[in-house]
Amino acid sequence: MKAPKELPSALEKIEDFKQAFESKKPLIFLDFDGTLSPIVENHEDAEISTEMKQTVEELAEMYQVAIISGRGLDDVKKKAGIQNIFYAGSHGYEISGPGNFHEENDEAQEVLPAFDDLEPKLKSELKDIKGVRFERKKFTLAVHFRQVEKEKESEFFKIVKQCVEDFPRLKMGEGKKVVEIKPNIDWHKGKAVGFLMEKVSKDVGEMFPLFIGDDLTDEDAFHEMVNGIGVLVGDHGKKSYANYSLGSVEEVEKFLRQLIQLKNG
Ligand SMILES: [Mg+2]
């Protein structure tokens, strides 16, 4: 593992990708927030730029592409608005793709009623902390604290932890200024990557995974991909399993353009 700033820039190492793609067809996994769209104050306001959208569409004409996100499946599909690619929502609990492909994690489905009990409890316990925002997705409950005062953050964490402890079938995960409450099962973005790899490989033969993401939750995917490449966007402040880095969403677009160029000659 390396500190993000020690990772070589993917933009300067495009030859490595060219080589990797020569032996096997790539399957390109793209995280959404912070990778394809800039991080914004309110997660509802996140938007993919017209240029980025076009770039990903062109990319998808040449390679298999999957957008994988902590957002709910319908939400990320709508935000990205790109047709004929794979989408994995809620960190991969729900996956859809071309040809009416749809898959949900059965085990996670059984846990859903626990969220209905937890959510009102959490809302009432946190009512005195200003700036907390809830985002209920099908398979996770995100509690955003980007707008919570710094001095209130430890109290916020304490309350959330206490509430979640009463629900053994749920667990807490951390992201950028968000606590993500998920089913307490062995599933994460890395597993979703493995699942999709298997699914797509069945049709087109063995593939080479490339994963681009910015958040701590993406580390599960970087870690899982023993025979692939991980590219970290920006710096999440911890050591990373990624192999390369990109500085920003703008650099992601530049890099995807380079991948398109590879194919064009
Ligand atoms: Mg992200």
Side-chain angles (χ1 to χ4, degrees):
M1 289 181 97
K2 280 186 176 162
K5 60 176 186 306
E6 290 167 11
L7 297 169
S9 166
L11 285 172
E12 285 155 23
K13 297 281 181 185
I14 194 72
E15 275 302 312
D16 295 359
F17 293 86
K18 191 177 176 190
Q19 269 179 21
F21 290 5
E22 267 160 15
S23 51
K24 283 179 207 158
K25 279 186 187 168
L27 175 51
I28 302 172
F29 293 92
L30 302 166
D31 167 55
F32 188 75
D33 294 80
T35 300
L36 295 181
S37 79
I39 299 279
V40 289
E41 275 298 300
N42 294 317
H43 62 98
E44 297 98 332
D45 300 335
E47 259 181 46
I48 186 168
S49 69
T50 318
E51 296 76 33
M52 181 67 97
K53 189 177 165 192
Q54 213 177 345
T55 300
V56 178
E57 278 168 346
E58 279 178 48
L59 189 74
E61 283 170 23
M62 304 186 171
Y63 307 102
Q64 294 273 6
V65 173
I67 292 181
I68 183 160
S69 173
R71 289 178 182 267
L73 181 63
D74 291 340
D75 183 20
V76 66
K77 264 176 141 169
K78 211 167 117 198
K79 285 273 182 210
I82 298 159
Q83 308 293 318
N84 288 317
I85 60 169
F86 285 97
Y87 286 94
S90 306
H91 301 292
Y93 288 123
E94 32 179 2
I95 297 173
S96 78
N100 288 325
F101 174 72
H102 190 89
E103 198 74 40
E104 291 185 358
N105 184 303
D106 292 337
E107 219 183 322
Q109 210 133 6
E110 283 170 27
V111 182
L112 296 185
F115 284 107
D116 298 334
D117 297 333
L118 172 73
E119 191 177 358
K121 189 178 166 201
L122 210 48
K123 275 186 176 158
S124 111
E125 297 283 332
L126 287 168
K127 67 178 188 309
D128 295 330
I129 299 183
K130 274 208 198 93
V132 179
R133 298 174 77 101
F134 292 84
E135 182 193 1
R136 178 69 193 270
K137 307 173 225 181
K138 185 163 180 187
F139 289 96
T140 63
L141 172 63
V143 192
H144 298 267
F145 61 96
R146 192 169 287 277
Q147 281 144 317
V148 169
E149 284 176 70
K150 201 101 200 98
E151 311 80 75
K152 290 274 181 186
E153 279 185 10
S154 61
E155 192 188 339
F156 165 82
F157 272 107
K158 205 175 137 203
I159 294 172
V160 176
K161 218 176 143 207
Q162 270 169 2
C163 281
V164 176
E165 267 168 10
D166 291 339
F167 295 86
R169 302 193 79 184
L170 301 177
K171 67 177 174 188
M172 274 171 76
E174 247 183 276
K176 283 183 183 166
K177 295 287 175 191
V178 62
V179 171
E180 193 91 52
I181 299 157
K182 332 182 231 197
N184 190 9
I185 56 180
D186 187 22
W187 185 264
H188 50 65
K189 272 186 174 174
K191 301 261 177 198
V193 164
F195 174 79
L196 260 178
M197 286 290 293
E198 205 186 301
K199 167 76 195 162
V200 179
S201 299
K202 245 181 230 165
D203 300 332
V204 293
E206 216 188 320
M207 303 198 82
F208 181 87
L210 163 62
F211 191 106
I212 309 178
D214 71 306
D215 210 340
L216 287 170
T217 56
D218 298 312
E219 289 295 330
D220 291 327
F222 297 147
H223 190 39
E224 196 92 345
M225 288 187 327
V226 186
N227 297 307
I229 297 182
V231 179
L232 178 68
V233 184
D235 189 341
H236 53 40
K238 302 238 163 90
K239 285 201 168 179
S240 176
Y241 285 103
N243 311 92
Y244 300 91
S245 71
L246 289 165
S248 60
V249 171
E250 288 72 32
E251 283 199 13
V252 171
E253 206 212 329
K254 245 190 229 171
F255 176 67
L256 297 181
R257 283 267 151 222
Q258 287 191 351
L259 295 182
I260 294 167
Q261 286 300 320
L262 277 187
K263 199 86 171 192
N264 283 340

